[in-house]
Amino acid sequence: MTSYKRLEQAFARIATLNEAAAMLGWDAAAMMPPGGAQARGEQMATLAGLSHELLTAPALADDFAAVTPPADPWARQNLALMREAHTRATALPRDLVEASSRANSACETIWRTARKESDFAAVRPALAEVFNLTRQSAQILGAALGLSPYDALMTQYQRGIHAADVAPIFGNYEIFLQKALPQAEEIQNRQSHESLPPGPYATAIQEALCRQLAAAAGLNFTSARLDRSAHPFCGGTPTDIRITTRYDEADSLSAITGVLHETGHALYEQQLPAAWRRQPVGQAAGMATHESQSLIIEMQAVRSDAFLGYLAPVLGNAFNKPITPAVLRRRLRHVARSFIRVEADELTYPAHVLLRFRLEQALLAGDLAVADLPGAWNDGLHDLLGITPPDDAQGCLQDIHWYDGAIGYFPSYTLGAMAAAQLFAAARKALPALEAHLAAGDFAPLAGWLARHIHGQASRLGFNELLAAATGENLNPAAFQEHLTSRYLTAS
């Protein structure tokens, strides 16, 4: 057996361990009783340690030293991604990997109660330890990869994107938002204030609609399931997708749009090339790319005039309520200066990401103490949106990411939104009848175009290379601003 084939086998085993960890993570969010948290933390830490042990085995290093680069371009990229993963793993001592896993699990468990009680003090020591261990890891990784500590974290979520790339993009958006937000609010205030009929919107009907619409978007439920959790997400594996959501009988659209968002993630996973499953090159191209796939479904397609024209009678018939496309547009395109990121409209959402991008860099560098996070958060949000959270539950406690050790992840959300706008514009050019298909509730042409240009490419290309191949250029934030201008700044 060649060195390359042995490397493939080793990475397949590592991927299988990671799949098991993903399932345990889904279970912790959707099914596990609270009493299982401590044992689950140990289970996750053990799996993380085993994965790290396989990735740092001496035999692996020997195979990397002896391997001949394959002629096939996919295999060659696979080898390059293997090397990067090996470099990251061998840079970190196993005890630090396991300590971080335990600290993240413990912090997340405390955070769940602290968020409900708006008690930052309760989770502050655990969060300080998460940042302490993450800082150690980031410094080690940065030295090994020739990156800054923060870039070493960012690139584990989206390869090839650095803080220096993101900062000017976000800075330009902040300037755009300062002018666009008041203008959008003024236009909105002149429009009809008609709202959706009051509930209740039965949970059972909501769940049935979520399944129906997700299937219409292309989700194969023979390899997927839909469950409930406090924080909606998509996890699992390409052949075993796990989507979760939450239902509110006063608001059916929250669950429906949330499930369709997660369906965008799920379609990406289900349509990755099976020939490269459990290999680095066969995985998604990064989290910004992943977010582009959820947002092209939820924000670009689902909230389009065409699809809302289809959705209104579907909802009206299901709930026996008078629901019109105009009312759906009013509800799903409402601009508001809000405290909660996951409830923010697409115009103000990047401000929430920009705030976190700045704060997590300061926390990682030690320029901001964890104890001072609530005040810095409140000041930063006021500077960006002119509002101040009334409590920490609506401020720095609202997101799971930092409390679970996901530092450097947040930029992916807005980069994904920008990429989604660029990809949708390209898809509309390539598919002249796209609007007509969406008006009929038919996602197949869009899903097929994405399967060819994004999903089927997996990690063969980087973020910008993937966009360039699909749209003709690297990330161009102008497409996002043009989309927002058309949707929110044009009076109708």
Side-chain angles (χ1 to χ4, degrees):
M1 184 182 297
T2 66
S3 297
Y4 177 76
K5 285 297 181 183
R6 283 195 296 270
L7 288 169
E8 277 193 329
Q9 285 188 350
F11 274 82
R13 293 186 67 194
I14 292 165
T16 305
L17 286 174
N18 293 339
E19 288 176 1
M23 290 305 176
L24 288 175
W26 165 82
D27 178 74
M31 297 289 179
M32 186 186 76
Q38 183 174 355
R40 184 57 46 86
E42 288 298 320
Q43 293 159 6
M44 297 290 279
T46 298
L47 285 175
L50 287 172
S51 178
H52 185 256
E53 185 178 292
L54 286 174
L55 199 47
T56 57
L60 213 64
D62 293 341
D63 282 328
F64 276 120
V67 68
T68 300
D72 177 72
W74 280 79
R76 203 160 52 244
Q77 174 68 353
N78 196 39
L79 178 60
L81 294 173
M82 287 176 178
R83 285 191 188 277
E84 181 180 348
H86 181 253
T87 298
R88 284 181 176 274
T90 54
L92 295 175
R94 178 171 175 167
D95 59 351
L96 179 56
V97 173
E98 294 190 357
S100 292
S101 179
R102 290 191 180 92
N104 295 345
S105 181
C107 186
E108 182 199 341
T109 300
I110 298 168
W111 164 78
R112 291 184 183 277
T113 301
R115 183 185 58 170
K116 291 177 184 176
E117 299 177 357
S118 191
D119 185 5
F120 180 75
V123 75
R124 184 178 63 209
L127 182 62
E129 181 64 3
V130 167
F131 269 96
N132 170 46
L133 294 171
T134 302
R135 186 179 300 113
Q136 292 179 43
S137 297
Q139 290 170 345
I140 293 169
L141 287 172
L145 298 168
L147 299 170
S148 71
Y150 185 71
D151 284 346
L153 298 179
M154 275 190 69
T155 53
Q156 69 184 338
Y157 299 111
Q158 183 56 66
R159 180 167 44 91
I161 300 294
H162 301 156
D165 303 316
V166 175
I169 291 173
F170 284 3
N172 288 336
Y173 190 82
E174 183 177 6
I175 295 169
F176 169 79
L177 184 64
Q178 288 171 351
K179 295 180 179 179
L181 181 54
Q183 185 180 347
E185 289 171 329
E186 181 184 353
I187 292 171
Q188 182 174 272
N189 288 336
R190 296 200 304 264
Q191 296 172 340
S192 168
H193 287 197
E194 184 183 5
S195 59
L196 283 165
Y201 292 86
T203 294
I205 297 175
Q206 288 189 51
E207 184 171 8
L209 281 171
C210 286
R211 292 181 179 277
Q212 173 188 330
L213 293 169
L219 183 63
N220 178 3
F221 270 103
T222 62
S223 300
R225 56 180 292 139
L226 175 62
D227 294 281
R228 303 181 191 186
S229 71
H231 188 90
F233 67 92
C234 175
T237 74
T239 57
D240 188 0
I241 296 291
R242 305 299 176 94
I243 292 176
T244 70
T245 193
R246 54 187 173 215
Y247 299 100
D248 178 354
E249 293 212 337
D251 176 19
S252 65
L253 289 176
S254 177
I256 289 170
T257 56
V259 167
L260 287 168
H261 175 99
E262 302 305 340
T263 296
H265 285 303
L267 291 177
Y268 193 0
E269 291 294 318
Q270 285 193 334
Q271 296 185 139
L272 290 169
W276 293 98
R277 190 161 293 154
R278 292 188 174 137
Q279 293 300 308
V281 76
Q283 297 171 10
M287 291 318 302
T289 313
H290 234 308
E291 289 303 323
S292 77
Q293 298 311 287
S294 61
L295 294 173
I296 199 170
I297 297 297
E298 182 204 357
M299 290 297 183
Q300 299 292 326
V302 169
R303 300 188 191 222
S304 68
D305 287 344
F307 186 77
L308 293 182
Y310 164 81
L311 183 62
V314 170
L315 296 181
N317 292 335
F319 294 110
N320 194 27
K321 296 179 184 290
I323 298 175
T324 65
V327 168
L328 288 183
R329 285 194 295 271
R330 173 73 182 172
R331 166 66 172 79
L332 292 175
R333 299 180 188 175
H334 182 71
V335 173
R337 302 171 190 244
S338 59
F339 301 119
I340 306 299
R341 174 186 62 86
V342 296
E343 297 173 359
D345 58 88
E346 60 182 331
L347 181 63
T348 60
Y349 190 104
H352 294 268
V353 171
L354 174 55
L355 172 66
R356 290 152 176 77
F357 173 65
R358 290 172 174 169
L359 289 176
E360 67 183 6
Q361 288 183 84
L363 287 163
L364 189 72
D367 297 332
L368 174 64
V370 168
D372 296 329
L373 175 58
W377 182 289
N378 294 349
D379 290 345
L381 189 66
H382 188 271
D383 290 343
L384 287 164
L385 293 178
I387 56 175
T388 302
D391 54 48
D392 290 338
Q394 297 179 76
C396 65
L397 284 172
Q398 66 183 266
D399 294 309
I400 192 173
H401 302 61
W402 292 342
Y403 303 91
D404 193 30
I407 298 157
Y409 186 120
F410 280 115
S412 292
Y413 288 117
T414 289
L415 294 174
M418 292 176 173
Q422 187 171 329
L423 288 167
F424 194 70
R428 289 174 70 176
K429 290 180 181 178
L431 305 168
L434 179 58
E435 299 289 332
H437 283 284
L438 291 175
D442 179 11
F443 284 82
L446 177 61
W449 189 88
L450 292 172
R452 291 189 299 275
H453 293 280
I454 305 297
H455 308 161
Q457 301 303 313
S459 277
R460 187 177 69 87
L461 302 172
F463 180 65
N464 275 314
E465 293 81 5
L466 195 58
L467 282 175
T471 72
E473 60 181 337
N474 290 352
L475 180 66
N476 184 353
F480 185 52
Q481 294 187 18
E482 289 167 4
H483 159 70
L484 296 175
T485 298
S486 174
R487 183 171 283 183
Y488 298 100
L489 305 184
T490 303
S492 59

